Tab-separated table of all heavy atoms in Angstrom:
chain	number	residue	atom	x	y	z
A	1554	THR	N	79.918	-28.156	-35.815
A	1554	THR	CA	78.780	-29.042	-35.393
A	1554	THR	C	78.628	-30.139	-36.482
A	1554	THR	O	78.241	-31.285	-36.132
A	1554	THR	CB	77.534	-28.149	-35.263
A	1554	THR	OG1	77.823	-27.126	-34.388
A	1554	THR	CG2	76.346	-28.877	-34.729
A	1557	ALA	N	80.954	-32.741	-35.853
A	1557	ALA	CA	80.610	-33.456	-34.641
A	1557	ALA	C	79.630	-34.604	-34.949
A	1557	ALA	O	79.670	-35.668	-34.395
A	1557	ALA	CB	80.082	-32.514	-33.610
A	1577	VAL	N	66.879	-33.218	-40.826
A	1577	VAL	CA	65.856	-32.275	-40.603
A	1577	VAL	C	66.506	-30.970	-40.144
A	1577	VAL	O	67.134	-30.848	-39.148
A	1577	VAL	CB	64.837	-32.761	-39.475
A	1577	VAL	CG1	63.762	-31.731	-39.306
A	1577	VAL	CG2	64.291	-34.127	-39.855
A	1578	GLY	N	66.324	-29.969	-41.037
A	1578	GLY	CA	67.001	-28.689	-40.883
A	1578	GLY	C	67.968	-28.466	-42.024
A	1578	GLY	O	68.594	-29.396	-42.502
A	1579	HIS	N	67.968	-27.218	-42.644
A	1579	HIS	CA	68.809	-26.977	-43.745
A	1579	HIS	C	69.492	-25.633	-43.585
A	1579	HIS	O	69.806	-24.987	-44.508
A	1579	HIS	CB	67.946	-26.979	-45.001
A	1579	HIS	CG	67.226	-25.681	-45.261
A	1579	HIS	ND1	66.469	-25.072	-44.376
A	1579	HIS	CD2	67.182	-24.962	-46.483
A	1579	HIS	CE1	65.971	-23.954	-44.907
A	1579	HIS	NE2	66.442	-23.812	-46.239
A	1580	SER	N	69.885	-25.302	-42.308
A	1580	SER	CA	70.675	-23.978	-42.127
A	1580	SER	C	72.091	-24.101	-42.730
A	1580	SER	O	72.648	-25.231	-42.764
A	1580	SER	CB	70.679	-23.591	-40.703
A	1580	SER	OG	71.554	-24.482	-39.972
A	1581	PRO	N	72.663	-22.944	-43.152
A	1581	PRO	CA	73.962	-22.980	-43.723
A	1581	PRO	C	74.981	-23.361	-42.673
A	1581	PRO	O	76.041	-24.018	-43.014
A	1581	PRO	CB	74.213	-21.487	-44.015
A	1581	PRO	CG	72.888	-20.811	-44.065
A	1581	PRO	CD	71.942	-21.590	-43.164
A	1582	LEU	N	74.691	-23.182	-41.364
A	1582	LEU	CA	75.687	-23.471	-40.327
A	1582	LEU	C	75.696	-24.990	-39.933
A	1582	LEU	O	76.713	-25.533	-39.641
A	1582	LEU	CB	75.390	-22.495	-39.049
A	1582	LEU	CG	76.286	-22.734	-37.895
A	1582	LEU	CD1	77.629	-22.204	-38.231
A	1582	LEU	CD2	75.818	-21.976	-36.663
A	1583	VAL	N	74.455	-25.526	-39.899
A	1583	VAL	CA	74.404	-26.949	-39.425
A	1583	VAL	C	73.796	-27.846	-40.335
A	1583	VAL	O	74.548	-28.740	-40.832
A	1583	VAL	CB	73.439	-26.846	-38.082
A	1583	VAL	CG1	73.516	-28.214	-37.440
A	1583	VAL	CG2	73.829	-25.700	-37.126
A	1584	GLY	N	72.532	-27.655	-40.775
A	1584	GLY	CA	71.859	-28.768	-41.638
A	1584	GLY	C	72.516	-28.968	-42.927
A	1584	GLY	O	72.747	-30.145	-43.344
A	1601	CYS	N	64.881	-32.294	-44.941
A	1601	CYS	CA	63.521	-31.746	-44.622
A	1601	CYS	C	63.812	-30.369	-43.997
A	1601	CYS	O	64.821	-30.041	-43.336
A	1601	CYS	CB	62.882	-32.526	-43.563
A	1601	CYS	SG	62.561	-34.229	-44.082
A	1602	HIS	N	62.808	-29.479	-44.204
A	1602	HIS	CA	62.860	-28.145	-43.632
A	1602	HIS	C	61.497	-27.665	-43.346
A	1602	HIS	O	60.497	-28.405	-43.483
A	1602	HIS	CB	63.671	-27.234	-44.538
A	1602	HIS	CG	63.167	-27.467	-46.010
A	1602	HIS	ND1	62.013	-27.065	-46.497
A	1602	HIS	CD2	63.770	-28.076	-47.073
A	1602	HIS	CE1	61.837	-27.379	-47.697
A	1602	HIS	NE2	62.947	-27.966	-48.056
A	1603	VAL	N	61.424	-26.378	-43.023
A	1603	VAL	CA	60.154	-25.807	-42.536
A	1603	VAL	C	59.022	-25.917	-43.598
A	1603	VAL	O	57.819	-25.956	-43.251
A	1603	VAL	CB	60.322	-24.322	-42.082
A	1603	VAL	CG1	60.558	-23.349	-43.271
A	1603	VAL	CG2	59.263	-23.852	-41.135
A	1604	ALA	N	59.260	-26.087	-44.809
A	1604	ALA	CA	58.278	-26.181	-45.924
A	1604	ALA	C	57.951	-27.677	-46.328
A	1604	ALA	O	57.121	-27.885	-47.190
A	1604	ALA	CB	58.670	-25.355	-47.163
A	1605	THR	N	58.684	-28.512	-45.669
A	1605	THR	CA	58.363	-30.039	-45.951
A	1605	THR	C	56.990	-30.375	-45.490
A	1605	THR	O	56.723	-30.095	-44.443
A	1605	THR	CB	59.482	-30.871	-45.356
A	1605	THR	OG1	60.727	-30.508	-45.716
A	1605	THR	CG2	59.230	-32.382	-45.562
A	1608	VAL	N	56.887	-34.291	-42.741
A	1608	VAL	CA	58.233	-34.663	-42.176
A	1608	VAL	C	58.245	-36.186	-41.770
A	1608	VAL	O	59.275	-36.904	-42.036
A	1608	VAL	CB	58.614	-33.722	-41.096
A	1608	VAL	CG1	59.913	-34.156	-40.348
A	1608	VAL	CG2	58.736	-32.192	-41.565
A	1620	VAL	N	68.809	-34.380	-36.592
A	1620	VAL	CA	67.793	-33.323	-36.437
A	1620	VAL	C	68.399	-32.017	-35.942
A	1620	VAL	O	69.051	-32.115	-34.884
A	1620	VAL	CB	66.778	-33.818	-35.505
A	1620	VAL	CG1	65.578	-32.867	-35.510
A	1620	VAL	CG2	66.245	-35.206	-35.845
A	1621	ALA	N	68.245	-30.924	-36.679
A	1621	ALA	CA	68.774	-29.649	-36.266
A	1621	ALA	C	67.716	-28.559	-36.605
A	1621	ALA	O	67.951	-27.853	-37.583
A	1621	ALA	CB	70.182	-29.374	-36.852
A	1622	ALA	N	66.654	-28.566	-35.924
A	1622	ALA	CA	65.552	-27.574	-36.246
A	1622	ALA	C	65.366	-26.564	-35.151
A	1622	ALA	O	64.862	-25.458	-35.411
A	1622	ALA	CB	64.219	-28.360	-36.501
A	1623	GLY	N	65.848	-26.820	-33.983
A	1623	GLY	CA	65.565	-25.890	-32.838
A	1623	GLY	C	64.130	-25.805	-32.452
A	1623	GLY	O	63.595	-24.774	-32.136
A	1624	ARG	N	63.457	-26.993	-32.590
A	1624	ARG	CA	61.998	-27.093	-32.216
A	1624	ARG	C	61.833	-28.209	-31.220
A	1624	ARG	O	61.777	-29.458	-31.616
A	1624	ARG	CB	61.114	-27.402	-33.426
A	1624	ARG	CG	61.194	-26.319	-34.544
A	1624	ARG	CD	60.278	-25.177	-34.191
A	1624	ARG	NE	60.341	-24.204	-35.271
A	1624	ARG	CZ	61.177	-23.280	-35.420
A	1624	ARG	NH1	62.194	-23.142	-34.619
A	1624	ARG	NH2	61.032	-22.369	-36.514
A	1627	LEU	N	59.682	-31.831	-31.731
A	1627	LEU	CA	59.408	-32.008	-33.206
A	1627	LEU	C	59.396	-33.422	-33.618
A	1627	LEU	O	58.517	-33.973	-34.322
A	1627	LEU	CB	60.510	-31.162	-34.015
A	1627	LEU	CG	60.294	-31.377	-35.578
A	1627	LEU	CD1	58.970	-30.711	-36.016
A	1627	LEU	CD2	61.434	-30.730	-36.299
A	1641	ASP	N	70.651	-35.944	-32.343
A	1641	ASP	CA	69.818	-34.786	-32.035
A	1641	ASP	C	70.775	-33.616	-31.781
A	1641	ASP	O	71.439	-33.459	-30.793
A	1641	ASP	CB	68.969	-35.076	-30.748
A	1641	ASP	CG	67.972	-34.012	-30.444
A	1641	ASP	OD1	67.956	-32.991	-31.149
A	1641	ASP	OD2	67.150	-34.237	-29.484
A	1642	VAL	N	70.714	-32.639	-32.743
A	1642	VAL	CA	71.534	-31.532	-32.602
A	1642	VAL	C	70.884	-30.334	-31.809
A	1642	VAL	O	71.595	-29.438	-31.318
A	1642	VAL	CB	72.006	-30.992	-34.062
A	1642	VAL	CG1	73.087	-29.882	-33.993
A	1642	VAL	CG2	72.582	-32.114	-34.896
A	1643	GLY	N	69.593	-30.308	-31.832
A	1643	GLY	CA	68.851	-29.225	-31.198
A	1643	GLY	C	69.246	-28.889	-29.772
A	1643	GLY	O	69.543	-29.791	-28.968
A	1644	ILE	N	69.286	-27.617	-29.454
A	1644	ILE	CA	69.409	-27.233	-28.071
A	1644	ILE	C	68.319	-26.225	-27.786
A	1644	ILE	O	68.342	-25.109	-28.387
A	1644	ILE	CB	70.827	-26.579	-27.815
A	1644	ILE	CG1	71.980	-27.447	-28.190
A	1644	ILE	CG2	70.981	-26.113	-26.310
A	1644	ILE	CD1	73.353	-26.876	-28.115
A	1645	ASN	N	67.410	-26.596	-26.946
A	1645	ASN	CA	66.274	-25.678	-26.642
A	1645	ASN	C	66.144	-25.541	-25.155
A	1645	ASN	O	66.160	-26.585	-24.426
A	1645	ASN	CB	64.974	-26.242	-27.179
A	1645	ASN	CG	65.130	-26.701	-28.699
A	1645	ASN	OD1	65.190	-25.834	-29.535
A	1645	ASN	ND2	65.215	-27.931	-28.874
A	1666	ASP	N	65.546	-31.635	-30.035
A	1666	ASP	CA	64.297	-31.627	-30.948
A	1666	ASP	C	63.605	-32.880	-30.906
A	1666	ASP	O	62.497	-33.010	-31.377
A	1666	ASP	CB	64.787	-31.259	-32.393
A	1666	ASP	CG	65.406	-29.895	-32.540
A	1666	ASP	OD1	65.226	-29.023	-31.543
A	1666	ASP	OD2	66.050	-29.637	-33.602
A	1686	VAL	N	75.849	-34.090	-28.855
A	1686	VAL	CA	76.527	-33.378	-29.913
A	1686	VAL	C	77.391	-32.165	-29.332
A	1686	VAL	O	78.490	-31.866	-29.777
A	1686	VAL	CB	75.571	-32.854	-31.008
A	1686	VAL	CG1	76.327	-32.033	-32.115
A	1686	VAL	CG2	74.813	-34.049	-31.643
A	1687	GLY	N	76.841	-31.566	-28.265
A	1687	GLY	CA	77.413	-30.378	-27.696
A	1687	GLY	C	78.968	-30.569	-27.360
A	1687	GLY	O	79.814	-29.879	-27.963
A	1688	PRO	N	79.313	-31.524	-26.458
A	1688	PRO	CA	80.687	-31.709	-26.158
A	1688	PRO	C	81.583	-32.082	-27.318
A	1688	PRO	O	82.777	-31.785	-27.332
A	1688	PRO	CB	80.669	-32.844	-25.090
A	1688	PRO	CG	79.359	-33.058	-24.690
A	1688	PRO	CD	78.323	-32.331	-25.614
A	1690	THR	N	81.134	-31.152	-30.346
A	1690	THR	CA	81.379	-29.915	-31.141
A	1690	THR	C	82.603	-29.206	-30.555
A	1690	THR	O	83.450	-28.654	-31.304
A	1690	THR	CB	80.147	-28.997	-31.133
A	1690	THR	OG1	79.041	-29.779	-31.718
A	1690	THR	CG2	80.311	-27.857	-31.924
A	1691	VAL	N	82.659	-29.131	-29.261
A	1691	VAL	CA	83.836	-28.441	-28.648
A	1691	VAL	C	85.073	-29.132	-28.943
A	1691	VAL	O	86.115	-28.431	-29.286
A	1691	VAL	CB	83.622	-28.314	-27.019
A	1691	VAL	CG1	84.827	-27.675	-26.436
A	1691	VAL	CG2	82.333	-27.534	-26.766
B	2109	LIG	P1	68.136	-22.321	-37.769
B	2109	LIG	O1	66.984	-21.689	-37.167
B	2109	LIG	O2	69.074	-21.498	-38.612
B	2109	LIG	O3	67.532	-23.520	-38.812
B	2109	LIG	C1	66.503	-24.256	-38.415
B	2109	LIG	C2	66.192	-25.331	-39.487
B	2109	LIG	O4	65.105	-26.166	-39.088
B	2109	LIG	C3	65.793	-24.641	-40.776
B	2109	LIG	O5	66.259	-25.373	-41.862
B	2109	LIG	C4	64.175	-24.772	-40.762
B	2109	LIG	O6	63.609	-24.850	-42.112
B	2109	LIG	C5	64.123	-26.097	-40.099
B	2109	LIG	N1	62.824	-26.258	-39.310
B	2109	LIG	C6	62.292	-25.386	-38.470
B	2109	LIG	N2	61.102	-25.834	-37.982
B	2109	LIG	C7	60.809	-26.954	-38.690
B	2109	LIG	C8	59.780	-27.872	-38.680
B	2109	LIG	N3	58.677	-27.780	-37.941
B	2109	LIG	N4	59.908	-28.943	-39.476
B	2109	LIG	C9	60.995	-29.203	-40.266
B	2109	LIG	N5	62.033	-28.354	-40.221
B	2109	LIG	C10	62.023	-27.218	-39.534
B	2109	LIG	O7	68.892	-23.224	-36.677
B	2109	LIG	P2	70.401	-23.800	-36.679
B	2109	LIG	O8	71.304	-22.626	-36.486
B	2109	LIG	O9	70.571	-24.735	-37.766
B	2109	LIG	O10	70.287	-24.616	-35.302
B	2109	LIG	C11	69.383	-25.698	-35.149
B	2109	LIG	C12	69.355	-26.229	-33.735
B	2109	LIG	O11	70.655	-26.735	-33.459
B	2109	LIG	C13	69.172	-25.220	-32.678
B	2109	LIG	O12	68.458	-25.776	-31.640
B	2109	LIG	C14	70.500	-24.800	-32.169
B	2109	LIG	O13	70.589	-24.324	-30.847
B	2109	LIG	C15	71.232	-26.135	-32.267
B	2109	LIG	N6	72.676	-26.054	-32.428
B	2109	LIG	C16	73.443	-26.925	-31.703
B	2109	LIG	C17	74.814	-26.947	-31.806
B	2109	LIG	C18	75.525	-27.970	-30.993
B	2109	LIG	O14	76.789	-27.788	-30.903
B	2109	LIG	N7	74.960	-29.054	-30.475
B	2109	LIG	C19	75.411	-25.962	-32.645
B	2109	LIG	C20	74.642	-25.136	-33.432
B	2109	LIG	C21	73.328	-25.233	-33.309
Side-chain angles (χ1 to χ4, degrees):
T1554 306
V1577 181
H1579 82 310
S1580 70
L1582 181 67
V1583 188
C1601 300
H1602 44 70
V1603 74
T1605 301
V1608 173
V1620 189
R1624 299 279 183 276
L1627 177 66
D1641 189 354
V1642 184
I1644 302 175
N1645 310 287
D1666 292 344
V1686 179
T1690 300
V1691 176

